Structure formats: C-alpha cells, structure tokens
Amino acid sequence: MQAFVTGDTNPCRPAADAKSNKIFWVLRGCSGMTEAAKTILIVDDEADLAESYALRLDDHYETKTATSGGEALTKLGPDVDLVLLDRRMPGMAGDDVIKRIDDWELEFQVILVSAIDPDTDIIDLPFDGYLTKSVSKDELLDAVEQVFLKQRYEELVAEYNAAAETYDVLREAYSRSELEGNEEFAELEDRMAELEAEFDETIEKLDDSSVTNLLA
C-alpha cells in the first residue's frame, strides 16, 4: 500500500498511558462506512428533460428535480449528494448556481450539463464532471459513478492516513508483544487491511483520466 498525503485533520486520536502500560485510543471516523442511497438533485429548465434524467437514474439513486436555479437553491440540503446542473437556464443560470454553492461552502458534488462544449470560461467554476448534451443513459450513469468513486477515493485516503497515524504512534509507544492480543489494536489492523482492499477496488473502477487527476 502506497503512502498517502492529505491535509485532512486526523479523526483517529491515539493516547498512550505508559505508566499503567495500558493503551487507550478513540477511533473517531475510522470505522467502516455504511453506504446509504445517494441523492441527486437534477436541475434543468426543461422539465421533461429533468424527468428523463431522473428516470435514467432512479434504479440506482434517489432523485429530485428543479426547473430553475432559484428552485434548485431551495432544494439543496444535507440529503443531497450530487447536483446535475444545466449551465444555460433563463434567470439564474447554472454557472450562477454553482458559484452560490461555492460561496455558501456547501459540500456537494456537481456535474455540469450543457449543449455547449466546455471552453476556458469553466476554469474558475468548481465542478466535478462535465457532460455535453445530448446525454445517453450510459454516459449519464458513468459520469455519476465516476464522481462518486472519486469522492470515495478521497474518503479512503483520509481514513487510511488517520488510521496509519494512529498505528504508527502506538507502534512507537509499545513493543509488538505488548500490542499482541489487544482487541482494539487488532481491529485497527483489520480496518487498515479493509481500507487497502477497498482502495484497490475503487482504483480498478475509476477510468484512466480520473486516476491521473487524483494522483497528479
């Protein structure tokens, strides 16, 4: 398993009491994640097209729709994982919505959808994927899957780094024989092995361009 670098705060906080020769640590955020159904907010001023996207995604995700930028902002909430956002809409355009999301520091994945090929005007837009209309069902599903896989990759990196830091601290504080038989330390080792396996599986599912961007 390669070494990872991340700026995230370590959610695993180890502490060793050398005097009593006991090990105490809190593994906050280092347990396995339970995957709930992802929710996608589909935003397009053409209601029929928004519903069409929803039908293509309904077998795999929870969906809800909005037909304007203003309506989209009212439907954004903690239940939304990804916004499928039309760039060109009357009133508040998709670009304005994505800037508002960024200004509010909201944590959503965003895929832009447009009939216009991407140009340099997208440089300052924070987004995670770009689709050019018309979009087939396979293209839509693949784009959404790739965005969620990249998100999961980053979560795995953060969790593995946190667990590895805890592991290193404990190995420095105690001998291997002192750690052997400790149930919590064994669970930590098992979790690190699970993370390595899931990391490899995630990399296998990512397309080449996604892997290149993540490792750059």
Side-chain angles (χ1 to χ4, degrees):
M1 185 72 176
Q2 69 187 78
F4 299 116
V5 177
T6 180
D8 291 345
T9 301
N10 184 353
C12 301
R13 299 190 304 178
D17 182 351
K19 290 183 179 179
S20 61
N21 201 32
K22 293 182 180 179
I23 303 165
F24 302 94
W25 61 85
V26 179
L27 299 178
R28 297 186 300 115
C30 290
S31 58
M33 292 181 59
T34 300
E35 285 293 327
K38 301 285 190 181
T39 297
I40 299 174
L41 173 61
I42 301 163
V43 188
D44 198 299
D45 61 296
E46 297 182 46
D48 289 345
L49 187 54
E51 289 298 331
S52 173
Y53 290 153
L55 286 173
R56 298 176 192 180
L57 295 167
D58 275 345
D59 288 343
H60 306 274
Y61 307 100
E62 299 291 336
T63 62
K64 53 185 179 178
T65 62
T67 55
S68 69
E71 183 185 2
L73 294 179
T74 68
K75 291 189 173 183
L76 289 173
D79 61 317
V80 175
D81 299 289
L82 183 147
V83 182
L84 187 68
L85 183 61
D86 184 19
R87 286 194 72 188
R88 299 289 185 253
M89 294 184 292
M92 181 179 288
D95 289 7
D96 298 323
V97 174
I98 198 172
K99 289 175 181 176
R100 187 73 62 85
I101 291 173
D102 190 49
D103 289 343
W104 290 350
E105 298 182 349
L106 300 175
E107 297 295 329
F108 304 113
Q109 306 298 302
V110 177
I111 296 177
L112 290 174
V113 185
S114 178
I116 302 172
D117 289 332
D119 202 344
T120 54
D121 61 346
I122 68 171
I123 289 175
D124 294 327
L125 292 178
F127 63 92
D128 304 282
Y130 196 105
L131 289 171
T132 304
K133 295 179 180 179
S134 59
V135 182
S136 70
K137 180 177 181 178
D138 287 344
E139 288 174 330
L140 181 59
L141 287 171
D142 183 63
V144 171
E145 181 186 28
Q146 287 297 308
V147 166
F148 283 138
L149 283 171
K150 286 185 285 186
Q151 181 186 33
R152 183 59 184 146
Y153 170 95
E154 292 168 352
E155 292 170 349
L156 288 169
V157 168
E159 187 177 350
Y160 186 88
N161 278 345
E165 184 174 336
T166 300
Y167 179 89
D168 289 342
V169 169
L170 293 172
R171 285 301 308 273
E172 289 181 9
Y174 298 93
S175 67
R176 186 70 197 185
S177 61
E178 289 175 313
L179 293 172
E180 285 180 357
N182 184 283
E183 183 177 342
E184 290 173 302
F185 187 76
E187 289 175 357
L188 177 61
E189 289 186 310
D190 289 344
R191 181 57 187 154
M192 290 175 68
E194 291 171 359
L195 289 168
E196 290 181 11
E198 187 178 351
F199 178 86
D200 290 340
E201 291 173 4
T202 302
I203 286 290
E204 285 294 323
K205 294 176 183 177
L206 284 165
D207 59 34
D208 291 342
S209 61
S210 295
V211 172
T212 299
N213 290 336
L214 287 168
L215 298 180

